[in-house]
Amino acid sequence: MSAQQAVAAVVVLAAGQGTRMRSATPKVLHELGGRSMLGHVLAAAGPLGAGTTLVVVGSGREAVEEHLAAVAPGARAVVQAEQLGSGHAARVALDAVPGLEGPVLVVNGDAPLLRVQTLTALAAAHATAGSVFTVLTAEVEDPTGLGRIVRDERGVPRAIVEESDATDAQRAIREVNAGVYVADAGTLRRVLAGLATDNAQGEQYLTDALAPLVEGGAPVAAVRAEDPADVLGCNDRRELAARRRTLNDRVLDDLMRSGVTVVDPATTWVDVTATVAPDALLEPGVQLRGTTAVAAGAVVGPDTTLVDATVEEGASVVRSHVLGAVVGPGASVGPFSYLRPGTSLAADAKVGAFVETKNARVGEGSKVPHLSYVGDATIGRGANIGAATVFVNYDGVAKHSTTIGDEVRIGSDTMLVAPVTVGDGAYTAAGSVITQDVPPGAMGVARAAQRNVAGWVSRRRPGTAAAEAAAAAESRAGGRPAAAGDEDGSAPGADHEQ
Ligand code: UD1
Ligand code: CA
């Protein structure tokens, strides 16, 4: 173990079934605040610098192993074939590293609120006390279901008693076992080998390691966590919701202390992996997930979800859903828009209401104000994409790209059938289906010429309000039809009646 290492190894117990979750997903893979429970435990233990990290897997092991490979490739999975208890699980882990010596952190995989400083303090206390087994504890309001810390008259820890094995007097104790321990590897190996199963659950309890060490006169210690919330486990969905709430409160408290305005903490959810700069403003109903980064002066919300998104300085995103997109400085999005991966808005660009974008680069100051789909597109600077424009990127087999130049004006309801290019400064006429490139400065028109069938309403819809309105207009115009040019064969105004 090197000087920077607080412990030689970390062992995470994650083989239990988690029956109380009533889930097809292994308990430790349930998520809160942007990580799995297991991910939170590994993140808290990581800075201790252990040379070896072992995760005991069993129930749902394939899923847990796959997850580990993705989030903590340096950790090693050790299989506990049968779930014979937490003591057995720790033993299986130590058997996998026979040469290991020094202090080992053993931690339940279902303790997502553990913090680095709590684990560091535990390891330091273990070293300072010269202890061979140090258990993390907490005073809690409601100790139901947790192991109780039994201390003697002098306050020295004597035993950890599981609730189902406790006497009434022991059940009244409010100091509980966190399921987090630092122990000397050799000592732990020895004591775990002698664990019995004469308890209510017939399991080898890791908690039973303490009493025999005390009886043998070995130095042990129990360290109270500063914040009792740290030690709370998570056994069912109600506890999962409660832990998620606590975790979120911590994240928001940190953000507010650092200078972020959070208008409504109760409806704002920020993953531990997201970052928000001071003087950003989060309106009610905001979720910031994954690697999302919000810069200073940006306004997000109300009612906006950002996933792996970047919102740069002074930008705003209102009532929108943004995945894997970059919203540049001063740019604005929403209300009611959907930005999908590969979208990148340059400075001061605008994506307005009811717009979907995907794999789209929108240039500086360019606007897509209303009701459009922009897929596989590159748009230059200062362009305006008229309402209801569709970038027709898919021919049923392959996706194709569209390029729009600088200062282009795309008329409303234009279909841009990719692959197609509209040159700098060009226009398209409203309602055009653009299938060929439009050269710079040209007007692309691709729609049928209009024809008006004069008098059609009075002939075909006589007696309707429309016919009356048309007749009134004609009489105001001096008895002549409002427009000439009958294309259905009859003479202009032939069947017109006053
Ligand atoms: C455990 C402690 C209890 C403590 C509580 C804190 C024991 C016997 N009791 O109770 O004193 O107050 O945590 O939350 O340890 N596991 C395995 N293999 C097994 C059994 C369990 O890997 O065969 C793992 C589980 O996945 C879990 C951890 O060990 O991460 C604890 O097991 P769990 O059943 O959750 O114990 P609790 O009843 O919560
Ligand atoms: Ca538990």
Side-chain angles (χ1 to χ4, degrees):
M1 203 174 97
S2 80
Q4 302 94 308
Q5 289 179 314
V7 292
V10 170
V11 172
V12 183
L13 308 182
Q17 214 191 327
T19 322
R20 289 166 281 178
M21 293 299 283
R22 298 189 180 277
S23 177
T25 302
K27 174 163 79 172
V28 294
L29 297 192
H30 281 262
E31 290 190 5
L32 61 162
R35 286 195 179 117
S36 64
M37 279 194 226
L38 179 57
H40 284 291
V41 172
L42 290 167
L48 271 60
T52 306
T53 298
L54 303 174
V55 177
V56 183
V57 300
S59 281
R61 60 171 273 214
E62 293 81 8
V64 179
E65 283 174 356
E66 197 178 305
H67 178 69
L68 257 190
V71 304
R76 176 175 156 197
V78 178
V79 178
Q80 182 194 24
E82 268 186 288
Q83 282 67 67
L84 303 177
S86 53
H88 180 259
R91 190 175 157 187
V92 167
L94 291 180
D95 284 351
V97 281
L100 184 80
E101 287 175 26
V104 179
L105 171 73
V106 181
V107 50
N108 284 357
D110 63 352
L113 297 182
L114 277 176
R115 288 177 303 171
V116 180
Q117 58 262 47
T118 305
L119 296 180
T120 312
L122 180 70
H126 176 84
T128 309
S131 167
V132 294
F133 187 97
T134 304
V135 54
L136 180 69
T137 76
E139 292 276 345
V140 295
E141 287 300 315
D142 178 11
T144 308
L146 297 168
R148 310 297 206 276
I149 304 297
V150 179
R151 295 183 186 251
D152 66 16
E153 335 51 74
R154 290 171 304 139
V156 180
R158 311 289 316 186
I160 306 170
V161 182
E162 291 307 296
E163 179 162 274
S164 44
D165 302 298
T167 63
D168 286 348
Q170 288 168 336
R171 280 183 199 207
I173 297 171
R174 297 205 348 254
E175 187 184 7
V176 299
N177 168 28
V180 182
Y181 323 80
V182 175
D184 172 68
T187 307
L188 189 59
R189 228 184 269 283
R190 211 167 6 85
V191 71
L192 290 179
L195 284 186
T197 55
D198 54 346
N199 51 54
Q201 301 188 59
E203 290 186 352
Q204 296 177 37
Y205 288 167
L206 177 50
T207 47
D208 282 348
L210 181 66
L213 289 171
V214 174
E215 279 150 32
V220 301
V223 175
R224 285 189 180 82
E226 240 174 63
D227 182 351
D230 268 39
V231 313
L232 296 174
C234 185
N235 298 301
D236 61 31
R237 310 258 185 168
R238 295 178 64 235
E239 289 181 348
L240 178 61
R243 304 299 166 260
R244 183 179 286 123
R245 178 87 260 169
T246 305
L247 187 64
N248 193 59
D249 286 345
R250 285 178 170 180
V251 169
L252 296 183
D253 283 351
D254 285 349
L255 290 181
M256 290 187 278
R257 271 190 216 104
S258 76
V260 175
T261 297
V262 179
V263 175
D264 183 20
T267 62
T268 303
W269 294 86
V270 179
D271 281 355
V272 297
T273 43
T275 56
V276 187
D279 275 330
L281 171 65
L282 306 181
E283 297 277 16
V286 164
Q287 296 93 43
L288 305 183
R289 296 172 46 197
T291 58
T292 291
V294 176
V299 178
V300 180
D303 302 329
T304 292
T305 301
L306 307 181
V307 183
D308 301 334
T310 301
V311 176
E312 295 183 347
E313 269 191 54
S316 83
V317 184
V318 179
R319 283 187 214 282
S320 290
H321 196 85
V322 179
L323 309 179
V326 177
V327 179
S332 71
V333 174
F336 307 111
S337 281
Y338 180 26
L339 272 51
R340 293 167 51 201
T343 296
S344 145
L345 311 185
D348 304 318
K350 171 181 174 158
V351 164
F354 304 104
V355 173
E356 176 175 338
T357 66
K358 187 218 71 178
N359 197 19
R361 302 211 325 267
V362 180
E364 194 175 333
S366 289
K367 297 186 165 86
V368 188
H370 343 265
L371 297 158
S372 292
Y373 172 65
V374 183
D376 298 309
T378 302
I379 300 173
R381 65 170 164 73
N384 190 81
I385 309 300
T389 291
V390 175
F391 286 63
V392 184
N393 60 334
Y394 186 49
D395 60 13
V397 179
K399 300 280 171 66
H400 304 281
S401 301
T402 298
T403 303
I404 305 291
D406 296 340
E407 302 294 344
V408 164
R409 298 286 174 270
I410 298 293
S412 292
D413 197 30
T414 297
M415 300 293 117
L416 295 158
V417 182
V420 74
T421 296
V422 179
D424 291 346
Y427 278 54
T428 67
S432 289
V433 178
I434 300 294
T435 56
Q436 292 165 32
D437 290 354
V438 181
M443 159 67 92
V445 189
R447 64 186 185 203
Q450 180 176 340
R451 66 187 186 113
N452 295 334
V453 183
W456 186 94
V457 171
S458 59
R459 287 195 308 279
R460 300 292 181 85
R461 298 290 182 270
T464 62
E468 272 171 38
E474 280 170 24
S475 76
R476 282 196 303 276
R480 286 171 284 107
D486 187 353
E487 298 184 27
D488 75 351
S490 44
D495 55 358
H496 172 73
E497 283 166 21
Q498 286 284 348

